[in-house]
Amino acid sequence: MSKDYAEVINIEEIGEGMRVCLDFIDVLQPADGLYIGNTGHGYLKVLAENRESRDYPARPFRINCGAFHQYLYQEKKTHYLHELSPGEKLVLTDEGSEREIAIGRVKIEKRPFVRVECRIEGHIVSATLQKSSSVYLVEENEGEISILDLKEGHHVLGLMDKPGRHLGEQIDEVIVEK
């Protein structure tokens, strides 16, 4: 498992779908986030919504994780976003420390999406995120960056993984994910 900055190579609007917001029972810090991805190849760090954006007030308890089919990485295990429930505890990271916080609510709504593809250590990592000014990633030079300001060539914080999961656990099997 290695955290590194991944070069954004493609951003594509892909239409509407169901997105998952996780509302926690405690205040999140600006650097708190979760690693989210389309496949087991790796994940992108999505930050808390505790900053005011162009269109939304700050929501210091929320992380807008994106499309509900995605993986959420948690200490060598993954969860599908749509399977998470209130009361479950998740480990959030601010890159300097980690802390465990319970989910208070899982909010699922239909929203527009962009697919962000990145290259990291020679591999492709992607996430499907809501096209919203309130969704932020960690950019290498700019710090936090809204998904609406993200461009090809930016470098965002990612986490590499080895694909091949069954019920969230790593397995040694041939699995192809795109």
Side-chain angles (χ1 to χ4, degrees):
M1 221 40 71
S2 66
K3 295 176 186 173
D4 201 355
Y5 285 92
E7 180 184 3
V8 177
I9 59 172
N10 189 41
I11 303 169
E12 178 182 4
E13 291 187 33
I14 60 172
E16 286 190 348
M18 301 308 284
R19 74 95 159 103
V20 174
C21 281
L22 299 178
D23 292 349
F24 291 90
I25 64 168
D26 199 358
V27 175
L28 306 180
Q29 300 305 310
D32 282 340
L34 294 168
Y35 285 93
I36 308 295
N38 284 319
T39 71
H41 290 281
Y43 321 94
L44 302 179
K45 185 176 179 184
V46 180
L47 295 172
E49 284 192 17
N50 59 353
R51 64 196 52 75
E52 193 169 318
S53 67
R54 293 188 279 246
D55 305 311
Y56 297 98
R59 293 194 168 87
F61 52 83
R62 174 175 290 168
I63 297 178
N64 182 337
C65 296
F68 79 147
H69 72 277
Q70 295 185 103
Y71 288 132
L72 163 69
Y73 178 81
Q74 287 284 285
E75 299 181 22
K76 301 181 183 179
K77 184 174 171 83
T78 59
H79 305 273
Y80 285 115
L81 288 175
H82 84 279
E83 293 176 340
L84 296 171
S85 299
E88 285 187 67
K89 293 181 179 177
L90 297 178
V91 175
L92 280 75
T93 176
D94 72 0
E95 297 318 309
S97 63
E98 295 180 341
R99 63 186 177 130
E100 189 175 67
I101 306 173
I103 299 169
R105 173 174 70 166
V106 177
K107 186 176 182 189
I108 301 173
E109 299 173 299
K110 187 168 263 191
R111 295 291 185 263
F113 285 107
V114 295
R115 179 181 169 90
V116 178
E117 292 182 341
C118 301
R119 183 175 293 112
I120 182 171
E121 298 177 15
H123 299 279
I124 302 298
V125 172
S126 67
T128 303
L129 303 171
Q130 182 182 340
K131 183 181 173 188
S132 171
S133 63
S134 67
V135 176
Y136 278 79
L137 304 175
V138 179
E139 206 281 326
E140 186 174 31
N141 297 313
E142 298 183 32
E144 57 190 43
I145 189 168
S146 169
I147 193 76
L148 297 183
D149 297 326
L150 191 66
K151 306 273 188 257
E152 290 179 17
H154 276 133
H155 290 82
V156 295
L157 190 58
L159 177 68
M160 287 297 301
D161 199 358
K162 180 181 174 194
R165 300 229 173 235
H166 180 67
L167 299 175
E169 299 288 337
Q170 184 70 52
I171 58 171
D172 190 20
E173 182 179 352
V174 175
I175 295 178
V176 177
E177 293 180 301
K178 295 182 182 181

